[in-house]
Amino acid sequence: MTLAGIRQTWFGNIKGDALAGIVVALALIPEAIAFSIIAGVDPAVGLYASFAICVVIAFAGGRPGMISAATGAMALLMVTLVREHGLQYLLAATVLTGILQIIAGYIKLGSLMRFVSKSVVTGFVNALAILIFMAQLPELTGVAWPTYAMVAAGLAIIYLLPRVTRAIPSPLVAIVVLTALSIFMGLEVRTVGDMGQLPATLPMFLIPDIPLNLDTLMIILPYSVTLMMVGLLESLMTATIVDDLTDTPSDKNRECKGQGLSNIVAGFFGGMAGCAMIGQSVINVKSGGRGRLSTLLAGVFLLFMILVLGPWVAQIPMPALVAVMIMVAIGTFNWGSIKSLVQHPKSSSFVMLATVVVTVATHDLAKGVFTGVLLSGIFFAQKVARVVAVRSTLSEDGTTREYVVLGQIFFASADAFVGAFDFKEALDHVRIDVSRAHFWDVSAIAALDKAILKFRREGAEVEVTGLNEASATMVDRFGTHDKPGALERLLAH
């Protein structure tokens, strides 16, 4: 990267990045504590992880302005490991997760994001918005009226203040004002301090206290592989969304490596594995954060707040943070996709809805995305298979028929290709022109073999013309119609 590029990504938006970093840090604290509780570990584990991951990913990540930290999706995958083997094995699994993610970056696994359709991304975004909103419901059930009043006041500040001034992010103002009101008026509302004890010391470097043997590897490897996959999937999807929000590109393979390095550091400093957070990333972007400085300062401010301003941070009312997260949910949801349900092709709408339903039902972003990608592939294969056409003309003497094949021949269209030929017609010669077709896989080559051998079985000579170079290579490698005993094998079937 050039010096000008470094200056732009780090210092091109100092004020906006600094203010956004404060907002993100405030929102990270209760979430990191909550995710630690989910995983069954001390709150310090999630807080230290969020600090370490934020700081490292600011330098090593492939997407400026994106926030990575401890997440709920990753925490859910750790519960069994922590319960059965303890914290030290979790720290080792976190380090191994990072190593696997770095390997994924070097084999360019991030490039696979181009196979994720727009419908899947939209479904992912909408599902995440719903999950973010649902995550706030426990804070809004069975509580007194001051909680609802503070949430309403917070939303009012967040949405109305930008009409007056944008000098300071409205979520930050909402948090400060509502905290001051809560302390001054002595309101009985849940606070950050009620979530768990904030740590009072700096994170320290440590090597997980576990036996370094094959048995240990067999214990942590399955968890690390799952954490690696879910972490990269959520990070790459989040990077794609932030790309769209900021109209800037990102390096997905570098992001894989950055996530890996940040998890290795987190593991050696007593933190749990994490990944990109779409909610916090949206908060960052909406608050004016664009560069790497916002991510770095989010981590630095997080540590500063819990160590230096801990007593004050503990008094931040949860309704203020709930208001911020509701703003995130509203801003994250793609409202135009509702109208698009009747405008877009039914297959695209179905993929989007299926991604939303599976994600919300399972609370697992990976399952939702895998479902969407699988359905997209199936619908695409069906669509391409339908455009295969075979036309034919008979010679004047009635002894030769020429078939002209158009389209893509692969596993989904192979049967339609074979079914287009009339093998019972009495012919001396058959010419199959495939100059406007392409044979993609072994199923396609097997279909060509079957067509040729069936014509030969009826006594016709077959000539195939127009094979492009790639198709001809496939035929030479996998075709059997010119191999000894090919016709006998067909008859045996």
Side-chain angles (χ1 to χ4, degrees):
M1 182 179 289
T2 64
L3 183 61
I6 294 174
R7 187 182 297 115
Q8 177 61 33
T9 56
W10 277 98
F11 307 111
N13 181 38
I14 295 178
K15 179 183 176 182
D17 286 347
L19 293 174
I22 296 175
V23 177
V24 171
L26 288 169
L28 275 174
I29 293 173
E31 292 204 358
I33 295 174
F35 299 150
S36 299
I37 294 171
I38 290 173
V41 296
D42 187 270
V45 176
L47 291 166
Y48 288 159
S50 296
F51 159 70
I53 293 171
C54 261
V55 170
V56 174
I57 205 70
F59 294 92
R63 169 68 263 177
M66 190 168 78
I67 305 299
S68 295
T71 65
M74 301 286 271
L76 288 170
L77 301 173
M78 307 170 186
V79 176
T80 305
L81 177 62
V82 173
R83 183 175 63 245
E84 295 182 356
H85 300 282
L87 174 62
Q88 295 301 316
Y89 279 82
L90 171 60
L91 300 181
T94 298
V95 173
L96 182 56
T97 297
I99 294 172
L100 294 175
Q101 289 177 328
I102 291 176
I103 294 173
Y106 276 106
I107 63 176
K108 301 188 182 302
L109 198 61
S111 301
L112 295 177
M113 276 303 296
R114 68 179 183 271
F115 295 109
V116 180
S117 69
K118 180 66 175 178
S119 299
V120 177
V121 174
T122 302
F124 173 85
V125 170
N126 290 346
L128 206 50
I130 294 171
L131 290 177
I132 290 172
F133 180 78
M134 290 174 62
Q136 311 315 309
L137 295 181
E139 298 292 337
L140 299 173
T141 53
V143 295
W145 68 267
T147 296
Y148 299 111
M150 293 190 75
V151 171
L155 290 172
I157 294 173
I158 288 169
Y159 285 107
L160 296 179
L161 183 63
R163 298 185 179 184
V164 179
T165 178
R166 293 181 178 271
I168 302 177
S170 59
L172 177 58
V173 175
I175 293 171
V176 172
V177 170
L178 293 180
T179 300
L181 283 175
S182 176
I183 295 173
F184 178 74
M185 299 178 66
L187 297 177
E188 293 292 330
V189 294
R190 186 171 163 85
T191 65
V192 170
D194 296 328
M195 298 286 293
Q197 183 68 36
L198 298 178
T201 60
L202 287 169
M204 298 177 60
F205 180 84
L206 57 89
I207 297 176
D209 185 14
I210 56 171
L212 298 179
N213 53 38
L214 186 60
D215 290 338
T216 298
L217 179 62
M218 290 299 100
I219 291 173
I220 66 175
L221 182 60
Y223 293 97
S224 295
V225 170
T226 306
L227 289 167
M228 179 270 290
M229 294 175 61
V230 172
L232 289 185
L233 179 61
E234 189 164 350
S235 298
L236 296 178
M237 293 292 288
T238 302
T240 299
I241 293 164
V242 178
D243 289 351
D244 291 339
L245 286 174
T246 60
D247 291 322
T248 55
S250 61
D251 186 337
K252 304 298 189 298
N253 292 314
R254 179 179 174 183
E255 185 62 34
C256 293
K257 300 172 190 175
Q259 291 291 332
L261 182 60
S262 64
N263 276 320
I264 290 174
V265 173
F268 281 126
F269 278 88
M272 58 201 275
C275 64
M277 306 178 74
I278 186 171
Q280 308 299 340
S281 298
V282 171
I283 290 176
N284 192 45
V285 173
K286 298 287 186 183
S287 301
R290 291 294 185 274
R292 296 183 180 276
L293 186 62
S294 63
T295 308
L296 174 64
L297 292 179
V300 172
F301 285 142
L302 170 65
L303 190 64
F304 176 78
M305 288 175 183
I306 60 178
L307 295 183
V308 180
L309 304 179
W312 293 96
V313 170
Q315 297 184 64
I316 295 176
M318 287 303 297
L321 298 175
V322 168
V324 173
M325 296 311 295
I326 290 177
M327 177 271 291
V328 171
I330 294 173
T332 300
F333 195 90
N334 187 336
W335 298 99
S337 64
I338 298 177
K339 182 179 179 181
S340 299
L341 285 174
V342 296
Q343 297 176 338
H344 287 178
K346 292 182 179 179
S347 59
S348 297
S349 298
F350 185 80
V351 168
M352 191 274 284
L353 289 174
T355 304
V356 172
V357 170
V358 173
T359 302
V360 173
T362 63
H363 285 232
D364 190 327
L365 298 170
K367 290 179 181 176
V369 172
F370 286 145
T371 299
V373 171
L374 178 61
L375 289 174
S376 295
I378 292 172
F379 288 136
F380 176 75
Q382 289 179 335
K383 186 179 296 183
V384 174
R386 285 198 297 266
V387 299
V388 172
V390 180
R391 303 169 185 168
S392 68
T393 56
L394 185 64
S395 63
E396 293 183 0
D397 60 7
T399 61
T400 301
R401 182 174 290 279
E402 180 178 30
Y403 289 93
V404 179
V405 183
L406 304 90
Q408 310 300 313
I409 315 300
F410 62 114
F411 64 89
S413 59
D415 289 342
F417 168 75
V418 174
F421 298 103
D422 182 5
F423 300 108
K424 296 302 181 181
E425 185 178 18
L427 298 168
D428 293 334
H429 190 81
V430 173
R431 182 180 300 108
I432 304 176
D433 181 0
V434 294
S435 58
R436 298 167 68 181
H438 187 90
F439 291 80
W440 286 97
D441 56 15
V442 292
S443 297
I445 303 306
L448 180 61
D449 286 337
K450 182 182 290 187
I452 293 172
L453 293 173
K454 282 191 173 186
F455 278 123
R456 288 178 179 172
R457 183 182 61 185
E458 300 301 325
E461 294 184 4
V462 183
E463 178 187 4
V464 179
T465 63
L467 278 171
N468 59 41
E469 184 177 352
S471 298
T473 300
M474 290 284 289
V475 171
D476 290 341
R477 289 186 61 187
F478 304 109
T480 62
H481 58 269
D482 288 333
K483 300 290 192 306
L487 187 57
E488 289 75 10
R489 285 194 296 272
L490 178 67
L491 293 173
H493 293 156

